[in-house]
Amino acid sequence: MAKQPRQLLSAFAILCSLLICTSGLQAQLSIRLLPDSAVRKGELPWHTHFPIAATNGQFNPGFTNTAWWLTTTVYNTDSVVQQYKLVLNNPHINLLKYYQNGDTTPLHITGDWLPFAQRPFQDRDFVFPLQILPHDSIPILLLVDKANESLQLHAELYSNEAFEQMRHLQNLLMGAGLGWMLLIVLLSVFLGISLSDKAALIYALYVLFTMAWIVSNWGIGFQYLWPELTDFPSKARPVFLLLCTASFLATLPQFFPPFSSRKWLVKSIHISIGVQVTLAVVLLFSNYQQLPSVIKVPFLQVCSVCSIVSVVLCVLYLWRQWRNNAPLVGYYFTGISFLLFVTLLLNLHQFGISAAPNEFLNMYGSSLGLIGESTILGLGFAHRANLHRKQKEQLARQLLEQEKQLAEKIIAVEAEERARIGRDLHDTVGSMLATINMRLNKLIHQEKLPEEATGLQALIATTMQETRSISHNLVPPHLAGIGLEQVMLNHINSINQQAGLQVQFDYAVDTQLPESFQLLVYRICHELLHNIMKHAAASEANLSIAEDCGAIQIIAEDNGKGFSNSTASKGIGLKNIDNRIAYLKGTLHIDSNTSGTTIVITLPI
């Protein structure tokens, strides 16, 4: 999986290089320009002097309050008919009027304010097909109307073959980029839902707005998605750009929790988000074509300024996070470095600054930057999800270890308390009963008590034996010294010496069990044998303790009368066994009938 993103990015870079190389396919084109404000109303400037020359076809007046006339002449020096396409690499011109050969009637009228089907050639850019006879030329006059907005123009002339080659590579690049960004959206949504991570969901929304902006910026939105909405293409880019930057800013505090010492920066981010969302909503529901210039130009300039402010706030916030050693901040810096640089250049380019990027960077720089940024940050979210998973696993292990330590402490405290009670029974009650028994025995021998005292003496002896047995059962003698197997053998030998029950014992455990675990196993086995002796009416029983696949398996069998499930649920002995098994996260299986009972207990080590 680690190689796949690198391979995709390498293929993406190769496509970009091929696309840049196609810039050499176009023919040389020299254009001259004249502001419409310098032309008398109703006249066509066929024979007017055009003062502004652009030998490379590029023109950038920035925000302009007038339409512009463009003139050029296309020559065919060959002896055969030539097919050309005149391309204006800007899909966002409001109105275009195309004249040729000195005509006073436009051959084509098109633009974003007219339906897409009215374009002379069905393409996302404005393309004008030309057919030139041998050794002939065609003079061209174009009215480019983008008044009260920012205008960037790059006129190019292609042969039909070169144009198709260039478009094929561009479409391949666009499809790869948008497809990859869609995968980033799906990845972010998956991570957001599976990890309940709000940052990933907001980031998915940001990538969606980014895709919408790219689609509108490339002109394919107007071509395929809203070809009849003539008011929407002009405002789609600023609307989606505002929502894009707002959602990206909203991701930052979610991905990197803010530090209390920089609350002013977080407030600035929230204010910027609110302003940009408000501007986007106002622009979306406005009648854009009817906005007066005194409102439209400042409004669009404010949108560009908001984009620059967002870049500054983003850099400041990430810088503070980096200074405070926030994890994964390197992904953000790497992901947005090129994007922030291009965004600043392009926003300055919108204001007509002459040191503008080349045409490829102007048209595709921000789009490719957004694609690369979303890819790197998508990988960052995946890395973050992996870190969260590892942290959860580590916390689970720590919690399990803490529970284990706590359980061992509880068992140790319980064992210590049982030892104290056992010592008290043995030392205090046992010695008192022994003293009573000695004095009673002395009186009997002195014949100072009747014969009934003999029965009392037997009862005291039985009580002493029972006290000794309880004392030993509370704390198995020498468990730490002689081990579980020997302690169980001693206990079973004691049972076998009593009349009525014979117990067969098997022990097959090689692992050195913790003392606390041995103690619980002993108590479970003791309770099982006690229940057989007390309730089963059995003459024979088998008890085995064996190790199997990382667990201890205890099997107790008897040939007694059995019991029903309702009877078992009421018994205190089985409840004690069940509680200890649950504490050790083990399992209990009981098979009982009138021929006997088999109990199988599995305890993970």
Side-chain angles (χ1 to χ4, degrees):
M1 292 299 292
K3 294 183 178 179
Q4 192 173 17
R6 291 200 296 268
Q7 293 172 348
L8 289 172
L9 289 175
S10 299
F12 203 64
I14 293 172
L15 287 175
C16 292
S17 301
L18 289 174
L19 186 56
I20 294 174
C21 291
T22 61
S23 61
L25 296 175
Q26 74 272 17
Q28 290 295 326
L29 185 67
S30 176
I31 64 173
R32 299 189 73 88
L33 297 113
L34 173 72
D36 184 51
S37 57
V39 179
R40 185 177 298 179
K41 189 173 183 180
E43 291 186 357
L44 294 179
W46 276 113
H47 306 290
T48 306
H49 172 67
F50 282 69
I52 302 175
T55 55
N56 58 358
Q58 293 190 23
F59 178 62
N60 179 21
F63 284 94
T64 178
N65 56 5
T66 183
W68 290 82
W69 287 96
L70 178 153
T71 185
T72 188
T73 301
V74 181
Y75 299 92
N76 179 12
T77 58
D78 293 335
S79 57
V80 295
V81 176
Q82 292 291 341
Q83 304 283 342
Y84 291 104
K85 284 184 172 61
L86 176 63
V87 181
L88 302 182
N89 288 290
N90 186 340
H92 311 292
I93 299 173
N94 299 331
L95 184 64
L96 277 166
K97 292 183 179 181
Y98 177 89
Y99 305 83
Q100 68 179 32
N101 292 325
D103 294 337
T104 58
T105 301
L107 182 61
H108 305 292
I109 300 178
T110 185
D112 276 357
W113 287 0
L114 298 172
F116 185 84
Q118 196 163 327
R119 297 193 177 187
F121 186 83
Q122 301 298 292
D123 189 80
R124 56 189 180 83
D125 278 323
F126 293 101
V127 178
F128 300 95
L130 299 171
Q131 179 173 298
I132 309 178
L133 298 175
H135 305 291
D136 198 1
S137 63
I138 296 179
I140 296 171
L141 187 66
L142 264 170
L143 177 64
V144 180
D145 188 356
K146 201 166 171 51
N148 303 318
E149 296 181 20
S150 179
L151 172 63
Q152 289 79 40
L153 191 65
H154 187 194
E156 294 179 304
L157 187 66
Y158 288 90
S159 67
N160 284 358
E161 182 181 355
F163 178 82
E164 293 300 327
Q165 182 180 352
M166 180 265 295
R167 276 294 185 260
H168 177 72
L169 287 173
Q170 287 181 343
N171 293 337
L172 187 62
L173 178 64
M174 291 175 180
L178 293 175
W180 178 245
M181 292 188 71
L182 184 59
L183 288 178
I184 297 297
V185 171
L186 296 177
L187 172 65
S188 300
V189 171
F190 172 76
L191 294 177
I193 295 175
S194 61
L195 298 177
S196 300
D197 189 352
K198 187 188 296 185
L201 295 177
I202 298 176
Y203 186 75
L205 187 64
Y206 157 71
V207 179
L208 282 176
F209 285 137
T210 299
M211 292 178 66
W213 181 85
I214 289 174
V215 165
S216 61
N217 186 54
W218 283 343
I220 57 179
F222 188 35
Q223 183 177 3
Y224 297 109
L225 302 180
W226 48 80
E228 300 296 328
L229 301 179
T230 55
D231 186 57
F232 188 64
S234 297
K235 57 187 179 184
R237 287 190 304 158
V239 166
F240 288 132
L241 183 60
L242 288 168
L243 294 176
C244 177
T245 54
S247 56
F248 181 77
L249 286 178
T251 307
L252 289 178
Q254 295 293 332
F255 197 94
F256 301 107
F259 297 98
S260 57
S261 60
R262 287 296 180 271
K263 289 184 177 179
W264 65 269
L265 188 54
V266 179
K267 290 181 180 178
S268 300
I269 289 176
H270 291 161
I271 292 172
S272 179
I273 293 172
V275 169
Q276 292 183 79
V277 172
T278 302
L279 290 174
V281 172
V282 170
L283 182 59
L284 183 63
F285 291 100
S286 66
N287 188 349
Y288 186 79
Q289 295 183 14
Q290 301 301 322
L291 286 177
S293 60
V294 293
I295 296 177
K296 182 185 291 186
V297 174
F299 188 90
L300 294 177
Q301 290 175 340
V302 168
C303 292
S304 294
V305 170
C306 284
S307 179
I308 296 175
V309 170
S310 297
V311 170
V312 174
L313 290 175
C314 176
V315 171
L316 288 176
Y317 192 83
L318 292 177
W319 172 256
R320 292 304 309 171
Q321 294 288 334
W322 181 77
R323 290 286 301 273
N324 287 277
N325 298 319
L328 302 180
V329 72
Y331 276 98
Y332 261 76
F333 265 129
T334 305
I336 68 173
S337 56
F338 177 74
L339 175 62
L340 294 182
F341 175 71
V342 173
T343 300
L344 283 174
L345 283 182
L346 294 181
N347 276 281
L348 295 175
H349 192 43
Q350 294 289 316
F351 288 91
I353 293 180
S354 57
N358 60 38
E359 178 57 29
F360 177 82
L361 194 61
N362 178 40
M363 191 62 194
Y364 300 102
S366 57
S367 304
L368 297 177
L370 286 167
I371 291 171
E373 174 255 3
S374 62
T375 300
I376 294 175
L377 296 193
L379 295 175
F381 272 100
H383 188 190
R384 184 171 184 247
N386 187 44
L387 288 180
H388 283 181
R389 178 183 61 81
K390 290 182 178 180
Q391 289 173 354
K392 285 184 178 180
E393 292 177 353
Q394 184 179 1
L395 288 175
R397 288 193 297 268
Q398 290 176 350
L399 182 60
L400 184 62
E401 184 64 26
Q402 290 175 355
E403 289 179 352
K404 183 179 179 181
Q405 292 177 358
L406 180 61
E408 291 178 352
K409 288 181 180 179
I410 292 174
I411 293 173
V413 171
E414 179 187 2
E416 184 178 348
E417 184 63 16
R418 285 174 175 268
R420 185 191 63 80
I421 296 173
R423 288 194 300 270
D424 289 347
L425 283 173
H426 183 272
D427 298 341
T428 305
V429 179
S431 66
M432 291 175 65
L433 289 173
T435 302
I436 294 172
N437 186 55
M438 289 174 58
R439 295 181 65 180
L440 182 59
N441 185 53
K442 182 178 179 180
L443 292 175
I444 291 173
H445 284 85
Q446 292 177 356
E447 299 181 356
K448 293 183 179 180
L449 289 177
E451 292 184 1
E452 288 79 1
T454 304
L456 182 60
Q457 185 183 31
L459 180 60
I460 292 173
T462 302
T463 303
M464 292 173 61
Q465 180 63 31
E466 187 67 20
T467 301
R468 188 178 299 108
S469 176
I470 293 172
S471 174
H472 288 173
N473 290 334
L474 281 171
V475 181
H478 312 299
L479 179 62
I482 63 177
L484 176 62
E485 180 180 9
Q486 190 60 47
V487 169
M488 288 301 307
L489 280 172
N490 294 342
H491 181 61
I492 289 172
N493 289 335
S494 176
I495 294 175
N496 289 337
Q497 291 174 5
Q498 302 177 17
L501 180 64
Q502 289 297 310
V503 180
Q504 179 68 36
F505 176 64
D506 294 311
Y507 187 88
V509 178
D510 296 326
T511 302
Q512 180 62 39
L513 303 175
E515 185 177 350
S516 58
F517 190 89
Q518 293 185 54
L519 181 59
L520 288 175
V521 171
Y522 170 80
R523 299 204 186 287
I524 291 172
C525 294
H526 182 274
E527 198 70 55
L528 289 172
L529 294 173
H530 178 76
N531 286 343
I532 293 173
M533 289 168 36
K534 187 174 181 181
H535 303 293
S539 60
E540 294 180 359
N542 293 320
L543 177 68
S544 67
I545 303 174
E547 183 178 0
D548 182 29
C549 298
I552 296 299
Q553 191 173 70
I554 303 171
I555 301 177
E557 301 174 290
D558 67 70
N559 62 351
K561 61 183 180 179
F563 57 87
S564 63
N565 291 332
S566 59
T567 304
S569 62
K570 296 178 181 179
I572 295 177
L574 278 178
K575 286 183 179 179
N576 290 337
I577 292 173
D578 196 48
N579 289 337
R580 290 188 172 101
I581 293 172
Y583 175 77
L584 293 174
K585 296 179 174 57
T587 59
L588 169 67
H589 176 74
I590 300 175
D591 182 16
S592 183
N593 53 51
T594 55
S595 300
T597 300
T598 300
I599 297 177
V600 179
I601 298 170
T602 303
L603 305 174
I605 300 177

